[in-house]
Amino acid sequence: MKQRVVVTGMGVVSSLGTDLNTFWNALLAGKSGVSLVEAFDMTEYPTKIAAEVKNFNPEDYGIDKKDARKMDRFVQFGLVASLSAIKDADLRIGENADPERVGVSVGSGIGGLGTWEDQHTILMEKGPRRVSPFFIPMMIANMASGQISIATGAKGPNTTTVTACATGTHSIGDSFKLIQRGDAEVMICGGAEATIRPIAMAGFSNMRAMSTRNDEPEKASRPFDIDRDGFVMGEGAGVLVLESLEHAQNRGARIYAEVIGYGMSGDAHHMTEPDPDGAARCMKRAVKDAGIEPEAIEYINAHGTSTPVGDKSETTAIKETFGDHAYKLAVSSTKSMTGHMLGAAGGVEAVILGLALQNGILPPTINLDRQDPECDLDYVPNEPRRADISVALSNSFGFGGHNATIIMRKYEA
Amino acid sequence: MSDVYERVKRIVVERLGVEEAEVTSEANFKDDLGADSLDVVELVMELEDEFDLEISDEDAEKITTVGEVVNYIQSHA
């Protein structure tokens, strides 16, 4: 028998805040987390803006200084978001949950790029004998999941998905399936990323993928707007505590929403250019998995990265999936505010889906001043909207043609 | 208290996150100061930089306490 799976805890680290309330209020206020990069000198870079998590100190969240020093920034983000989500869920592993039935899947699109960059500099300047013995364990993309289990004592399935910008949604969808089929009772799942680093800013810039609207950072991420010119890099983490309904009820947990569907597909098309057919097949699979009619979907949290090609392609895919209903449902891209958090995006956007369902409010797409005629759906422009929705969907698409969609429903016994 | 000892102590406190009082001459890196094998490798690298000397892997393996490190540095620097 398939287990029903519910969201009982959520945690976030982002440019718009590191607690749920601050984060949600910023989204409803239409606040942008984007500004000139402070961490590095960006003088020589075409893109000088990003959505940084400023003044982040892991010790403020109870992580020991000695331990934090051996963690890449993406691991620190993932661990902090996980600890917040666990606290939010009142999950006490070993007390109200069997450690062996609690798993972790917090992925990263890229992994410890900052550690890699620092250690490579040491290799070039000082030679091989000076490369840190912690380089490899700090850098590998699975180490957020590893450190989260070490810190929390979760001894169930422990894994990591790496599918670029689809990582967070794949991690949550795969975790949903693990619980649904009984391999775990609880999963701590989502994504973490920390790539606001010179090497990544240079690499993405040279792909011509990032906005260069350096003189107006807060207006740079503008999905579906005619003047969009690329994505704005964000960083942070978004983590859910997913749990079988039975387990949640037995321990009297508060339930945010129910996860009901998961879809995956591959474009089989191009390294970086999306094919709308792949995204449409992904959404259709998720709808089928949920056992609902496409018309049941009332809100889509779009991948919507603010690139000229991507937003158009997703719009086409939504129309292909939903037909006339595409014009009736609401779509918004919260990346207009958070920037594109790459592998963390799906995690953070799942948190947003949970909050939208719980509060009956849709966060807006900001900076949507002149809608692209080729993006002709209802994108909830600039102002949040009260809407007592029951079913919502979140999309994530990654380089390589990896597509992932999850569907959540308002919880009803 | 020698200058070498003070410099070693500062690095140990910084790297292993221990209190200064714990870094006695007899303190064993693994048993008393909570270091694992990777911590020791990193510590040796740091000491090599600090004192501008090279500690061979063979010698590094024999060093288990703070006092042994101080003695090694005083006789090789």
Side-chain angles (χ1 to χ4, degrees), chain A residues 264-269 274-284 313 317 397 401-405:
Chain A
M264 291 183 272
S265 74
D267 279 356
H269 173 65
D275 179 3
D277 176 61
R281 283 186 287 107
C282 184
M283 284 185 270
K284 285 176 190 172
S313 175
F397 313 131
H402 310 277
N403 307 304
T405 298

Side-chain angles (χ1 to χ4, degrees), chain A residues 118-247:
Chain A
D118 291 341
Q119 292 299 318
H120 186 262
T121 302
I122 289 172
L123 174 66
M124 292 294 106
E125 289 176 353
K126 298 181 177 170
R129 284 183 56 86
R130 283 294 172 270
V131 172
S132 168
F134 294 105
F135 165 50
I136 299 293
M138 282 173 70
M139 168 276 291
I140 50 183
N142 54 299
M143 196 47 75
S145 292
Q147 290 282 18
I148 292 160
S149 71
I150 292 164
T152 63
K155 295 180 177 174
N158 197 286
T159 186
T160 296
T161 299
V162 177
T163 49
C165 306
T167 296
T169 302
H170 273 132
S171 300
I172 291 166
D174 291 342
S175 295
F176 159 58
K177 290 292 168 189
L178 277 169
I179 298 171
Q180 196 179 59
R181 67 172 188 252
D183 288 341
E185 292 282 6
V186 183
M187 288 295 294
I188 300 158
C189 54
E193 204 78 79
T195 48
I196 303 175
R197 295 286 305 205
I199 188 80
M201 294 297 283
F204 281 112
S205 273
N206 291 347
M207 291 177 75
R208 309 289 186 266
M210 289 203 293
S211 171
T212 54
R213 196 183 283 262
N214 299 314
D215 53 342
E216 292 179 299
E218 294 182 357
K219 294 188 183 302
S221 185
R222 42 195 317 116
F224 311 111
D225 185 271
I226 190 84
D227 295 319
R228 68 189 184 279
D229 71 330
F231 80 87
V232 175
M233 200 188 292
E235 63 175 355
V239 171
L240 301 183
V241 173
L242 292 187
E243 196 163 351
S244 73
L245 176 60
E246 198 184 345
H247 193 272

